[in-house]
Structure formats: C-alpha cells, structure tokens
Amino acid sequence: MVTTQDIQVKFFRAISMLSSPLEALVQELAPDALVADIFFPFANDVAARHGIPRLTFHGTSFFSMCAADSVRRHRPHEKVSSDDELFLLPGLPDKITMTRPQLPDELKISVETDFTRLLKRSYEAAGRCFGMIVNSFYELEPRYVDHYRNALGKRAWHIGPVSLCNRNLQEKAQRGGREASVDGHECLEWLNSRGPCSVVYVCFGTHDVQVLG
C-alpha cells in the first residue's frame, strides 16, 4: 500500500531534479538574489556558485518557526510519559503547551527515514542561507518576529500578507467583501471584532521558487 510519506518522498525527490534547470535560469538571468521555498535545499549551492545571496521563503508564520525550533532544540515531547500529557515549549515568549499527537510525524519519530532526511536537509539549508522571507506581518505576531530575530539571532523579513491570485491593490482591498489595507491594520481590526475561538486559520502551504533581479 502506498502511504502519504511514500508520495511525499517521491515529490521531494522530483523537486531535487529542478536543480539543473534552476542553475541554467540563474546563469541566463544573472539575478541579484535568489528566493526559494524552504524545500529547495539545493538553492543554497546554486546561489553560492553564482555569488548571490539565497533567501528562504516560509509560507506560514514566525510563530510556527519559533515553535518548531523549540521542539527540535529541547525535545520536550520526549520527557512526557503519555500522548495525553501536556508539555511546555521552552524558550518562547508565551506559555505554549502541546501534546505529542499535535506534533508532525517527522518531529515525533526517533528513527530516520528518507522523508525525515529530506526535511533535515531542507531545514539545515534554510539555517545556512542569508535570511528568511516570511508570509506574515509584524502586527500579527510581533513577539515572535522579535523572538526569531533577536533571541534566535536570525535574519528575517515579513512581507505579508502575500496573495498571488489577486495582483493589484484594488482587488486585494476587495477580498472577502470588505476593505482591507495592505499593511494589515484593517485585518487586525476585523479579527479583534470576532468572538473567542470563532476564526479558523488554514494554510495549505506552497512550493515555489522566485528570482529577484
């Protein structure tokens, strides 16, 4: 039976085949920088060979990056005795607790697989790149932007909210049937007007490469 992990491994192996076409594209366009999704670890080497910085694009949030860093660094889920027991994510600005079932599989299993090795290479490459570009904005999660930059000592720029389907400002302002400014202030006002636990945020992620000229 084909598992989800089998499909993921094949997908990431297919992504690795983009290395040569990306090399040719950078050679042709001679860009000033290369922005690549976190799952393109080979982008570091391509950028280095052409003497340009590689920046990693992260499509979720500063909070998720800080939380994942806490789990990888401290392994708090290994110190509880059951899946129902809460554990604290150390070192974060707020008291964040989780249970083991809430973690992604690659953080829970102790045995390395092809999939976890692929993820490890991706995160290691992201850690060595020039900096991180995040689909977020400062007012949404200021404590975690500051934590990522200052406590973890990493370069990062928030450029969100990023929308690739609506290109011009007029279309962006009309999304959802209400006006929203590009800097996100009206978005925060709308969120603050909702009741507790009444808004669901869903992110399906992305896999893309962008070249900055």
Side-chain angles (χ1 to χ4, degrees):
M1 186 178 73
V2 178
T3 66
T4 301
Q5 276 202 356
D6 292 333
I7 296 172
Q8 289 172 326
V9 169
K10 289 180 180 179
F11 178 70
F12 287 122
R13 283 178 177 164
I15 284 177
S16 70
M17 298 171 67
L18 295 173
S19 178
S20 294
L22 177 61
E23 183 93 44
L25 182 64
V26 172
Q27 180 73 39
E28 176 188 352
L29 299 179
D32 297 316
L34 176 64
V35 179
D37 190 272
I38 195 169
F39 294 115
F40 290 78
F42 55 81
N44 277 20
D45 297 329
V46 172
R49 284 194 289 270
H50 292 272
I52 59 175
R54 182 260 170 124
L55 296 98
T56 300
F57 175 74
H58 197 283
T60 52
S61 66
F62 281 91
F63 171 78
S64 66
M65 292 194 300
C66 293
D69 179 85
S70 174
V71 172
R72 292 190 188 96
R73 189 185 301 262
H74 301 286
R75 312 294 293 178
H77 55 291
E78 295 178 352
K79 301 169 186 175
V80 294
S81 57
S82 73
D83 284 349
D84 297 324
E85 185 178 348
L86 289 170
F87 56 85
L88 178 72
L89 272 59
L92 297 183
D94 301 295
K95 181 181 178 181
I96 306 297
T97 59
M98 300 181 68
T99 60
R100 281 198 299 230
Q102 291 177 295
L103 293 175
D105 289 340
E106 65 268 17
L107 292 178
K108 288 185 291 188
I109 60 176
S110 56
V111 179
E112 268 201 345
T113 64
D114 288 343
F115 180 62
T116 60
R117 280 189 286 270
L118 284 166
L119 289 178
K120 184 178 180 181
R121 286 201 298 271
S122 296
Y123 287 118
E124 286 177 348
R128 297 193 310 270
C129 76
F130 183 79
M132 189 77 68
I133 292 178
V134 187
N135 185 15
S136 183
F137 55 97
Y138 185 79
E139 293 83 357
L140 181 65
E141 45 180 353
R143 290 161 64 85
Y144 291 92
V145 175
D146 293 341
H147 180 77
Y148 190 80
R149 288 173 171 165
N150 302 326
L152 301 183
K154 303 189 182 214
R155 292 192 194 99
W157 296 268
H158 39 80
I159 61 169
V162 177
S163 167
L164 297 181
C165 61
N166 294 320
R167 298 285 182 175
N168 63 59
L169 297 180
Q170 182 64 28
E171 287 177 333
K172 289 181 179 180
Q174 294 175 353
R175 292 183 71 196
R178 60 181 288 117
E179 293 185 359
S181 70
V182 177
D183 62 13
H185 289 294
E186 277 73 15
C187 178
L188 281 175
E189 290 179 6
W190 180 83
L191 286 171
N192 289 335
S193 72
R194 304 296 95 183
C197 302
S198 65
V199 178
V200 176
Y201 172 69
V202 179
C203 176
F204 293 103
T206 180
H207 298 285
D208 53 26
V209 171
Q210 302 174 31
V211 177
L212 300 182

